[in-house]
Structures are given as structure tokens and as C-alpha cells.
Amino acid sequence: MNLILLGPPGTGKGTVAQEISSRYHLPHISTGDIFRQNIKNKTALGQEVESYLNKGDLVPDDLTNRLVEDRLNQEDVADGFILDGYPRTLDQARALAEILENKKAKLDVALNVYVPDEIILKRLAGRRVCESCGDTYNIYYKKPEVEGTCDTCGGKLIQREDDSEETVKNRLKTYEEKTAPLISYYEQENILKTVDNSASLDETLAQVKEVLD
Ligand code: ADP
Ligand code: ZN
């Protein structure tokens, strides 16, 4: 099963993706995580993309497309994948279609994770990430067992630099301009499914199950 996840920042898309990944045994590919990992490790790619992430702007399409193409050519995705945070522009959606076509594969579902605007802001302000393993938490919605500490690995939980208020506003604006048009794009392809992630993660996952099984 080949899946992509759509939705503005702050819907809990990443958390939903992590859960789907473990339940359905699909490798979770998050372009945002890949970029942040490279920034942290000070790689050439990291240096190239850092300023875009800090401002909440999109990384240029050709760079992002090449990165995803490389990733999708690795062996572990032969039986399926879940892409989180890609595609984010129409150009990327077309590039993805071409990458898959070359592999004689196709997308099965574009899962749109919906949350009302008022909740989005609280989720972004409350988000914390493990600096060691990248697992995400939320001080309002998905608390770790011990405050400030990752349940999975015991690492320290921090706020992402691009979760600052100004950058968050820019990320939401960028989403509206560049990414929201993908909803009708995938609707036309007949693979768009929407789940509501404003209540509990369990309720969302029940909806996901209906859609995917
Ligand atoms: P969120 O969806 O919460 O904004 P992500 O982790 O998906 O967080 O992305 C963080 C940042 O990484 C984006 O603001 C952007 O700068 C960059 N990024 C991630 N995915 C893409 C993409 N597909 N195209 C361009 N830039 C991207
Ligand atoms: Zn951790």
C-alpha cells in the first residue's frame, strides 16, 4: 500500500503517520524529518535547507523531488510506504506521479488529516519533539509519561525552532497557497480520503482503519 498524508501543519499528521507506519508495517518517510536530521548533522544538504525551514518556507521543488526519488528507490519501500509532508506543491505531486510511474507503482490513498483552525494553533504551540529519536508529543494532547522526557528512548523533549509563532504563521500561509490545491488534485484522481483528527488519536485511527482495510 502506497500512501501520502495531506493536511496543514498542526493537525497531528506526523503522529498519525507514525501510528499507521507501525500498524501497517509501512516505512514512514517524512521529508521534514529528513531535512531536520540533516540540519542537526550539519550535512551539505542540511546547510542548504536550514534557512528555508527556519523561516517556514518550502525547500525548492527540484531538491525535494530528488531527495524523495532517492528514498523511494531504496529496497525497504518495495511493499509500500507512507509519505508524510510530501508532496506539498502541484509540481511535487506531478514529480511523484512520474517517480512512481517509472517504478510501475501508483498511489493508493491520499489521506487528508483534517482539524479545525482553532485547534491547530494550540497543537503547534504545545508540540514537543524528542531531540534524540524524533518522536513527537504534545503538552496538551499527547503528554509523555515523565514531563520533558521521551517515552520511547528517554531523550530530552524540546520545542522545534520552526514552531515559533512567526514561523508558524508563515507555515500556515504557505500551506494555504501551495499545498491546499493538492486536495482537489487528489480528489480528481479519486484517491482522496479525509479523516478528522480533532478528537482522540484512537478515534482517528478507527477512521483510518475504515479507509484502509
Ligand atoms: P509541518 O507539516 O508541521 O510544517 P514538516 O516536518 O512536514 O512540518 O516540515 C517542516 C519544514 O520542512 C517545512 O516548513 C519546509 O520548510 C520543509 N519541508 C518539508 N517537506 C517539504 C516538501 N515536501 N517540500 C518543501 N519543503 C518541505
Ligand atoms: Zn526519543
Side-chain angles (χ1 to χ4, degrees):
M1 187 166 48
N2 300 332
L3 265 183
I4 62 166
L5 281 196
L6 292 173
T11 53
K13 207 165 25 91
T15 309
V16 173
Q18 278 172 21
E19 283 299 322
I20 297 177
S21 162
S22 69
R23 289 182 188 205
Y24 293 83
H25 309 288
L26 299 170
H28 174 203
I29 305 172
S30 158
T31 42
D33 284 351
I34 296 172
F35 289 141
R36 279 186 293 275
Q37 198 64 44
N38 277 277
I39 292 170
K40 192 174 152 198
N41 296 335
K42 302 199 181 336
T43 67
L45 173 68
Q47 280 166 11
E48 201 170 342
V49 303
E50 187 164 15
S51 65
Y52 297 104
L53 270 84
N54 287 343
K55 281 186 254 163
D57 291 335
L58 293 182
V59 173
D61 285 335
D62 55 335
L63 203 171
T64 310
N65 291 336
R66 267 185 285 132
L67 177 94
V68 171
E69 181 166 23
D70 280 352
R71 182 65 187 88
L72 291 180
N73 282 327
Q74 287 167 23
E75 267 168 28
D76 65 322
V77 300
D79 294 329
F81 57 80
I82 174 160
L83 266 173
D84 165 13
Y86 181 93
R88 248 177 159 96
T89 63
L90 280 172
D91 182 88
Q92 291 181 9
R94 293 187 194 112
L96 176 62
E98 203 175 305
I99 295 168
L100 293 176
E101 221 168 270
N102 289 337
K103 292 160 58 71
K104 309 249 175 295
K106 64 172 180 53
L107 281 184
D108 298 298
V109 176
L111 197 67
N112 179 31
V113 182
Y114 166 82
V115 163
D117 286 346
E118 0 17 306
I119 301 183
I120 283 184
L121 291 172
K122 205 167 169 195
R123 288 207 175 157
L124 288 169
R127 174 150 72 181
R128 298 293 181 272
V129 193
C130 172
E131 69 176 356
S132 308
C133 75
D135 273 6
T136 52
Y137 297 85
N138 190 292
I139 57 170
Y140 304 109
Y141 301 105
K142 192 194 169 204
K143 287 190 189 147
E145 274 169 34
V146 180
E147 195 187 315
T149 305
C150 176
D151 293 346
T152 314
C153 80
K156 187 174 159 215
L157 301 185
I158 53 166
Q159 186 165 37
R160 254 167 54 178
E161 193 161 333
D162 66 341
D163 282 340
S164 74
E165 197 179 322
E166 201 179 338
T167 303
V168 161
K169 283 191 186 140
N170 192 36
R171 280 161 56 209
L172 290 169
K173 185 165 147 266
T174 304
Y175 173 82
E176 280 310 320
E177 286 172 11
K178 307 264 171 65
T179 311
L182 294 185
I183 298 204
S184 40
Y185 175 91
Y186 286 113
E187 209 161 41
Q188 277 162 25
E189 304 270 307
N190 276 318
I191 57 166
L192 187 80
K193 305 278 180 190
T194 297
V195 293
D196 184 329
N197 192 35
S198 51
S200 71
L201 185 62
D202 281 343
E203 282 171 61
T204 307
L205 292 169
Q207 296 171 45
V208 169
K209 193 167 184 302
E210 293 239 316
V211 168
L212 300 186
D213 286 358

